[in-house]
Every structure is written in structure tokens, then in C-alpha cells.
Amino acid sequence: MLLKDLSDGRILILDGAMGSLIQQKAPEEKDHRGSELKDHPINLKGNYELLNLYCPGLVYDIHTSYLVAGADIITTNTFSGNAISQKDYKTAQLCYRINLEASRIAAKAAKKHSSLKKPRFVAGCIGPTSKSLSMSLYSETHDNQAPAFTELTAAYKEQTEGLIDGGADILMIETVFDTLNAKAAIYAISKVLQEKNTNIPIMISATISGESGRLLAGQNIRAFYHSVKHADPFAIGLNCGSGAKELSSFVKELREEASCYVSFHPNAGIPDHEGKYIQKPENMSKDVEKILKKGKINIIGGCCGTTPAHIEAFSELAQKYKADKPFTKKSHMVLAGLEPFKINNDKKLVYIGEKTNVSGSEKFSRLITSQNYRGAVELAYQQIENGADMLDICMDAAGVDSDIAIKDFLALLGANSTLAKLPVMIDSSSFNTIETALQFIQGKPVVNSISLKDGEQTFIDKATLIKNFGAAVVVMLFDEQGQADTTARRKEIAGRSYRLLTGKAGLYPENIIFDPNIMALGTGINKGENQAISVLETCKFIRDSFPKCSIIGGISNLSYAFRKASRPRKALHRVFLEAANKAGLKFAIINPAEIKNDDVPENLKNLARSAIFQEDSKAMEELLNYAKSDSAKKPVKTKKSWRQQAVGKRLKHSLINGIDDYLEYDIESAAEKYKQPYDIIEEILMPAMEEISCRFDEGTLFLPQVVRSASVFQKAVDILQPFMNREVGRKSRQKGRVVLATVEGDVHDIGKNIASIVFQCNGFEVTDLGIMVPAVKIAETAQQINADIVGLSGLITPSLREMEKVADLLENKSLEMPLLVGGAATSKKHTEKNITPLYRGKVMHVKDASKIGAIVRKIV
């Protein structure tokens, strides 16, 4: 029986937590080593994936317990079975074998408990790794230790190969907190399936942060779905993060958006003060039943803290209800930044700002050539303020390494809370630059463009790659003979391109955008058939023949001959846009300020109309004469309004928006106004960081922007440093020493890294010990460097015990510096009950890394 056939009949049961059950069985160090790793230099306890190799019976027993409880699908013990995560243990060379054996163990258990009536399936678990591609892009230094997209793809490819070779029936990308990581996994899976000439169902499950309904890297759940939809998932869902009750509204939202099955495996409620998940099966079942009753879930299971008893309870519940079958939503294009952008089948034009294209803006070209990416981002922001719905980004300028330029520019766009919400269009004549750019975008962009000019196979290969990255694509009407310049040629190439894209490359029609090649008028070159009329005829043909596809046009091409005459250009654009929109044009690449400011007289529009539609043979000549005498005044440049504010407000604006262009000037101005440089930090910079924390909690700023703002904060402090060095008698307020570490057994370091940035911003000297740091090393380092603060981070529940060990060791050494504990595993209650009594020094719980600034301020 096929998985899909089974799911169409009833709600499927997924298994529960693996890690917590392994902890209960308390495997020892030797169980993680076998004879093969008996002399391995690193402590391996807690690397549960190694149990697949050296203690397989333990893993098999856990699978069996879930199968007996009623699970239809069991997940392999491979959450961290990838080279990125295993590198921390120096066991990356074992990854293929880990996944191979994990699949074999699960497949053996599933086979034993399968029957014709109740077949069982194995889902190969693919975790998020301990790194974030998006977060590394948005940091000031691009985190040189963070994995590149290609490295992450290679790790996922190796893991996928092992899982498939071992017998996995499904591949499940789970606990996604960064969509770009998930896209790397999808890309890797597509490569493996292509190489093996096979097809395996894919499940994708995200985890959201707090009550925001967003992934940690900033996307909301709807944008996430459309950014991974190209994987054609069997099921999309949510796991971890919180309990069933807390996540129920987001599951409903996902069901409304998705056209595939929906899965849900939440935690056993909210952890208590000791970090333990205590929601009993009978209580969790009540929350789950409320969701099952509504028919919104096709697959139900459990995550952290759930046990076979929970799964048994869910299995009994599932027999009482049926889920809605997936239904095909109305086909239309949906692009995405941090938020979805739906392209509806109405007459409303989508404006794509052309001023972030080096060919469309001399100013942007100068900024990119001089590597002034901050200024380029400001120009992008102006495009949005003027009415652009998205941006056309092109770095193809002489003397510019477009691969590097587009990477740096996209990183800064992602760090801007307004611009990051919007989709982008990547425009380049270099396909290598396009491929580079796609590795830096977590949303769903548009690629501009591909064509048949290099032949069918190259066309198909490029289209397939673009599809595997999850982008929509612009198709130029070129073929092996050159650019189409007649209606007949345009129609023929459009039809041929459509058949190849949908039939060979597997693109959905709604992800195809045709560019009918708008050509310049008034040049004297294009003789014979009027080009504007031909384009309009082609638009009508595409609209009627391929109704799910879209049409795009570079409007400025039309008026190239009038490029120095503002009003004739606007007249041509407005008249042509009105006609093209009626003919089916959806996307207009244009300077949106032209649409916003309608200063074109009616008689000039009529002249433009006559020229475009050849209503008067003399119209074009008259329009050219008008252009020569066009006396339209050049716009007066005005200063940015926020630059007119007081220096404190200017600095606050810079921090919140991640702008560092004016820092030096503004800091020097503030130094003249404030008596002490420390007053600037306490009265301007720190309150700004606190507001950033509040906006993060409210969901109006996202983690990438917080990281960027912290980086600007650090630059501000660096600029202030010479002023502070001149101060006398303020030594008590000089920088101190901080020791930071992710405790032993835990490889998660995002929060710790953010804390490090903020501490450094405040003038502290940070000793970052990294991840998986033994308690002894943390205590010894704190004593050796005479630390003023020790900060501990941990995401998983066992980290709590390690934090207690650190507190105990600090106490034994009679140390008294403040101890900060933070991370998803921690809570204020646990800190006060279990850590504070162990240590004489002040113990403080940090709710999340973005609030570390307020904690530092208290300590200082």
C-alpha cells in the first residue's frame, strides 16, 4: 500500500521524541564509542547518533516501543547525523554510515510490525544542523566559521544518500528554524533523487519562535511554505517550539495556505522550571483532540518530552476523526521575502524598482562600483518608499565582481526589517552570479532571465537548477537565431519555451514569467512592424494561451531614445503601461517615482499615444522635437528627513535600521553635546538597543536585523573608544572580561554568538570558548583570566545539568562574578531553584539573547 493511499483514508500517526527516551536509558560513554572510537580524544557522550553504530539495540527498542504504541511512521535517530553537526565531535567521517545504519535499524523494526492492514514506514530524519545560513549572512563579518550553502548542501547530500540506501521510505526535513538551511536540504535531496533516478516523499516541518508565528530567521509561516513548496512535499508541518495548545492557531494558518498534507508533532507542553516536559498523555490528548476535531491535520505525532504513551493516546484519538484531504488551491504565483507576496489574477500591476540595477541607475552603478553598499541599500529603500513592490537587482557593471557584490548587497537587504519582507528579482547576464545569489536568499525570488539562445538543453538545465532553488523565472523571447522581433517569432518562441519548461524541466506554469522584449521607439532602427504593437499582441497571445503564466516588461526600454527627457519618457510609459496592462502585462520594471508623480500634460500623453499606435505618421517626430525642448526642471535634492533630527534621535534611527554611514559624524557631534562619552552609551545607545529588543518581541524586528543592529552598536562603541580613553577617574566603568560558552553536550551557539556581539558592543573583552565546553574548562578559564562575568548557553534539556555543574565548580573555587544562564533549555524558575542555591555569586537568567543589553546595563 502506498503512503498516499493510506493517508487519504485516515490520520497517520508519527512517533514521538527520540532524545528524551535515550536519556532515560542513560547510555554510557562506552556505548558511544565501541572499539572503533575507544581512543577518540573527545567526550562523545550525548552524541546520540553514534548509538546507531555502537549500541543499535537501544535504538531498535525505542523504535519498537513507538510501533507497539501505534505509530505508522517512525523517524530515524539522525537529527544531528550530518557533517556540520558531527564536525564538533570530530566524527564527520562517520556520517554516511550513521545514516545508513539508522535507516536499517528503523526499517528492520518497521518491517517486523507491518501488516497488509497496517503497513509501517520509516522517515529519514534530517535536522537543521547547529548553524544558520541566514544568520551568518547578516552578521557584519559574515561569520567566517559558518558553513556556506555548498558545504551545507554537501552535508545534506551525504546524509540523504545514507538514509535512502538504508531503506528510508520518506525524507523528513524537520525543526527548520532557517528556511535557507531547509532550501539547502531540498537542493541536496533533489540532486540525490536525480542521481539515483528515484522518487521519495518529502516531509518538511518548521519550528516557530515564541508567539510571533515566525521562524527564528524571520519568515512567517505562510512565506515559509511558499519558499519550500518547490520540493513538492508530501506534507508540510510544525514541530517543537511549544505545545499543541500554543501552536494550534499556526497549524490552522498552515492548513489554509498549503495544498499538501499537514503534519503536527508538538512538544509535551511547556517545560517546567527544571526544563522538563511534564504534560501527561491524557492532558496533551485534550489539546490535540481539539485540533483533530477540526480536520486540519493529516499526520499527528510528538516532539520533545513525548513518549510511547503519548503516541498511543494520539493513535486512539485518530481513529475517531478524519482529516480534510488536501485540495488544490487556485493557481497563482506567490513570491516571498520574510512575508508572502501574492500575485493575483487581477489588473493590478506589480512595480519592480529598476534603480537597484546598475543599468537602470547611474547613481546605483557608482555606489556598487565604489562598494558603497550602505548607500545602495538606501537607494533600494527609496524605491520601496516610492511605491515599488519588489526590487530588480543587477550588479553587472564594469570592474565589479558581480558574485561578491550581489552577495554583500543581499546580506544588507536581509538585515533591513522593511526590505527583508519583500521578494527580490535577481538580474544578471552571468548565470554563475544568479546561482551565487540564489544561495543567499531564504525566500522565493524571481530570476531574470533565461532563454533558448544557447539551445534547448542549456535552457532546460538552467530552468531545472532555478526550480531546485525554489525561484520563479523570467523567460526572454530569444532562441538560437536571436531576439524575436516580430509577433510571429515572439509567439513561436513563447510556445516552445512553455512546452520545454513544463514538460522537461517540471516548472509549474505559475512560476513562469514571459518577457516579450520591449524595444526602443524613436531610434530609427526598428523599421516595418511597429514594435510596441507587436509586444501588445504577444501579451494577449500569452495571456490567452498560457493563463497561469505571467508577463513582465522593462518599460524604460521603450523610451531609451528619450532617456534625457523626463516628461516625454513618462508620457510613453504611462500610455504604454495602460495598454499593456489590459493586454495582460503583470510586472513592470520601472522607476516607481514616475508612477507616483503624474506631472505629464494631457496633450503630451495624446502625442505619445499617437506615436505608439502609429495613429499619426508625424507623431514620433513631434515627440522627438518635444524632447529636445523639454524644459522640465531637474528634481531638487533634499536631505533625508531623519537627518534633520537631533543627534540622539539620529543615532537611535541608525541603530534600529542598521545604518552605519553617519556614525562617525553623529558620535563626534554627540561627544560635543554630552559631558561624558559614557553618557552617550547609557542615554542613547543602550535605550535604542532595549527598543530593538522590544520590537523583536513584538515581531516587528527579526533576528537578522537584531544582529545587524548589534553590529552597528559595536561600531558606535569603537568610535567612542578614543573619547573614553581620555577619561580619568572612571576606571570602574572601563571594560571587563567575560567568559562565554555553550555547555558540554550542546552544539547550539546562535544565542551565545549574539550575546558575544552585545558584550563587545559594551566594551567587554570576550573569551568565547565555543560549543560543547566541559564545566571544568569554563570554571578554570574564569579563574585564570579573572573574569568579571561568566555566561552559559544551552538549547537542549541536558544542558541544565551542565550549567549546574559550572555553578558548583565556581562555588568550589570561591569565585563571585555574576553568572548568566540563557538559551531555550533554561527558565527563570529553574535558575532560581537549581542554580542560584549552588553559587554565592549573583545568578541571572537571560530570557533571550536580544535582551542581553539590558542585563549588561544592570551589571555595569
Side-chain angles (χ1 to χ4, degrees), residues 155-400:
Y156 280 136
K157 187 172 185 290
E158 180 184 35
Q159 183 175 25
T160 300
E161 288 168 342
L163 291 169
I164 293 176
D165 291 349
D169 305 297
I170 309 164
L171 294 171
M172 184 169 72
I173 306 168
E174 71 155 305
T175 321
V176 177
F177 62 85
D178 182 347
T179 309
L180 193 53
N181 284 35
K183 288 175 78 173
I186 293 167
Y187 190 83
I189 290 170
S190 68
K191 289 290 186 184
V192 175
L193 297 182
Q194 183 180 6
E195 289 172 6
K196 291 182 177 292
N197 192 26
T198 187
N199 191 27
I200 291 179
I202 297 172
M203 294 175 64
I204 306 174
S205 183
T207 184
I208 59 177
S209 179
E211 299 177 1
S212 66
R214 293 181 181 270
L215 280 67
L216 190 62
Q219 274 198 320
N220 68 25
I221 196 66
R222 294 179 188 265
F224 165 72
Y225 168 68
H226 289 289
S227 299
V228 300
K229 184 182 176 183
H230 62 284
D232 290 326
F234 167 74
I236 191 89
L238 295 176
N239 75 287
C240 205
S242 197
K245 180 180 179 181
E246 292 76 20
L247 294 175
S248 60
S249 63
F250 303 118
V251 173
K252 179 175 178 287
E253 189 176 349
L254 193 56
R255 173 73 283 167
E256 291 170 352
E257 199 73 21
S259 55
C260 61
Y261 294 107
V262 171
S263 66
F264 187 38
H265 44 296
N267 295 337
I270 306 296
D272 66 4
H273 62 277
E274 294 184 353
K276 296 179 180 178
Y277 293 90
I278 59 172
Q279 191 174 34
K280 296 182 183 300
E282 57 269 26
N283 295 326
M284 189 175 181
S285 293
K286 293 177 182 178
D287 293 336
V288 168
E289 186 170 18
K290 292 176 183 177
I291 303 170
L292 295 182
K293 279 182 178 179
K294 298 176 181 178
K296 304 301 181 184
I297 298 173
N298 304 95
I299 305 171
I300 183 70
C303 200
C304 300
T306 56
T307 66
H310 290 83
I311 300 307
E312 184 176 7
F314 300 165
S315 180
E316 292 174 0
L317 275 178
Q319 295 176 34
K320 297 164 54 179
Y321 303 103
K322 285 191 175 182
D324 295 338
K325 292 183 181 180
F327 60 94
T328 303
K329 305 291 193 296
K330 188 176 181 180
S331 295
H332 56 74
M333 179 186 293
V334 181
L335 304 173
L338 294 184
E339 296 181 356
F341 183 65
K342 294 188 177 182
I343 312 300
N344 295 315
N345 297 325
D346 53 24
K347 292 294 183 181
K348 183 180 179 182
L349 279 166
V350 175
Y351 295 111
I352 304 177
E354 68 179 3
K355 295 300 183 181
T356 47
N357 182 323
V358 292
S359 300
S361 168
E362 292 180 6
K363 181 178 180 180
F364 186 74
S365 182
R366 288 195 303 270
L367 291 168
I368 295 302
T369 303
S370 62
Q371 298 183 14
N372 183 358
Y373 300 119
R374 301 262 181 262
V377 169
E378 223 168 274
L379 194 59
Y381 193 81
Q382 290 171 16
Q383 290 279 279
I384 302 305
E385 283 188 323
N386 286 332
D389 299 298
M390 52 192 291
L391 301 171
D392 178 33
I393 301 171
C394 179
M395 303 291 171
D396 293 353
V400 173

Side-chain angles (χ1 to χ4, degrees), residues 24 29 79 145 194 196 251 253 301 306 392 412 416 443 451 455 474 534 592 602 664 707 739 766-767 801 814:
Q24 290 176 17
E29 179 70 24
F79 184 83
Q145 294 182 347
Q194 183 180 6
K196 291 182 177 292
V251 173
E253 189 176 349
T306 56
D392 178 33
L412 288 175
N416 182 293
S451 75
V474 173
S534 174
E602 196 62 35
E664 191 166 352
V707 173
V739 173
V766 175
T767 299
R801 181 64 60 188
S814 300

Side-chain angles (χ1 to χ4, degrees), residues 555-582:
I555 307 304
S556 296
N557 295 344
L558 185 78
S559 61
Y560 185 77
F562 302 83
R563 60 191 182 280
K564 298 298 182 182
S566 174
R567 286 192 291 181
R569 288 199 82 183
K570 288 184 181 180
L572 285 167
H573 293 172
R574 284 187 171 275
V575 172
F576 182 77
L577 269 177
E578 182 180 353
N581 186 218
K582 290 179 181 177

